[in-house]
Amino acid sequence: VLTDLPYGISKAEWDKDFPRWFVLEAFKCSQSVCIMPGLWALPECIDAMGGRYKWIIAGFSRNGMVHGAIGYSNWIPAVCGGVIKNGGQDAFSFTIDGEKQFKHPSQKPLPFMKFLVDRLSDAGGQTILDPFMGSGTTLVAAKQLGRKAVGIEIEEKYCEIAVKRLQKVGFGFNFPKIPDKGFDLIKSKQRRNKNVRTKQNITITYEI
């Protein structure tokens, strides 16, 4: 599980609280969990992991920064828990240079996501799960590194952004615009498919 959770700092309408409950749920899906909780929710994320907490991988942005409690901050914490493979660095320095910004308030830098995918998973057999997919950066990183990945996102507008991004890296999604009426029928017909589009809780799931 590799995901960027809401921070609970009101960056958007959906960013009301840090979903502490999800941290334990993540370990039901995988023995290896890496969560980006933002700096504000970092202590709570570590506390929620309890004895499963292992370490933090830091992403250092050389030319980007945000406001912090005591000044400017330009690093991204990725909290790791469970079974994490040994070897490799626990920090990655990158530059945001010409990377396209999509309409998402918390888009993660693709270079850092590629580092995390490569650092935390193996090329053969493992699947990356991002249950808070947002604009799809984790899935793009997985595709570029030859990893399997599953993305889940509740906001349809972000799913549409993710699909367009994945189309540009070689995926031929061809979903028609589906009206609100008939979602239940579509859900029942496609429940066993890899591509599911619904209006219930999770909007769209894509397995790549």
Side-chain angles (χ1 to χ4, degrees):
V1 175
L2 173 59
T3 194
D4 180 36
L5 295 183
Y7 307 150
I9 58 173
S10 300
K11 289 189 69 172
E13 183 179 349
W14 40 263
D15 190 32
K16 304 293 185 185
D17 302 290
F18 174 74
R20 182 188 176 97
W21 59 268
F22 172 78
V23 177
L24 295 179
E25 291 296 321
F27 285 105
K28 296 179 182 179
C29 301
S30 174
Q31 293 181 326
S32 304
V33 174
C34 181
I35 292 174
M36 284 165 283
L39 291 170
W40 297 99
L42 180 58
E44 188 171 3
C45 182
I46 294 173
D47 183 64
M49 282 192 179
R52 293 187 175 99
Y53 167 73
K54 289 292 184 182
W55 204 248
I56 294 174
I57 296 177
F60 174 70
S61 176
R62 295 191 295 272
N63 64 339
M65 59 183 63
V66 296
H67 289 287
I70 59 172
Y72 290 105
S73 172
N74 53 353
W75 73 287
I76 301 170
V79 182
C80 301
V83 180
I84 304 297
K85 68 177 184 179
N86 289 322
Q89 301 294 317
D90 63 359
F92 178 73
S93 178
F94 60 91
T95 299
I96 301 174
D97 186 15
E99 184 176 344
K100 184 175 180 181
Q101 297 299 302
F102 298 92
K103 293 182 179 180
H104 190 284
S106 188
Q107 179 182 328
K108 286 294 166 287
L110 182 58
F112 185 44
M113 296 311 299
K114 289 178 68 174
F115 173 81
L116 289 175
V117 169
D118 186 55
R119 174 68 178 79
L120 298 171
S121 68
D122 296 320
Q126 288 187 313
T127 299
I128 304 293
L129 171 63
D130 187 349
F132 294 80
M133 180 180 68
S135 60
T137 305
T138 303
L139 272 65
V140 173
K143 167 61 179 173
Q144 292 184 352
L145 292 170
R147 306 293 204 272
K148 294 180 180 180
V150 176
I152 302 172
E153 173 58 47
I154 196 170
E155 293 283 348
E156 187 168 359
K157 61 183 178 181
Y158 297 144
C159 290
E160 291 174 354
I161 292 172
V163 168
K164 290 178 181 178
R165 294 182 71 184
L166 289 166
Q167 286 173 332
K168 291 181 179 180
V169 292
F171 278 92
F173 295 113
N174 188 26
F175 280 103
K177 186 67 177 178
I178 302 174
D180 288 342
K181 293 181 179 180
F183 266 105
D184 290 339
L185 176 61
I186 292 166
K187 180 181 178 182
S188 64
K189 287 183 177 180
Q190 296 188 349
R191 186 182 299 275
R192 290 184 297 275
N193 291 352
K194 288 184 177 179
N195 302 320
V196 181
R197 186 179 181 111
T198 76
K199 265 289 189 186
Q200 313 249 336
N201 295 329
I202 294 170
T203 306
I204 302 179
T205 303
Y206 291 113
E207 180 175 347
I208 66 173

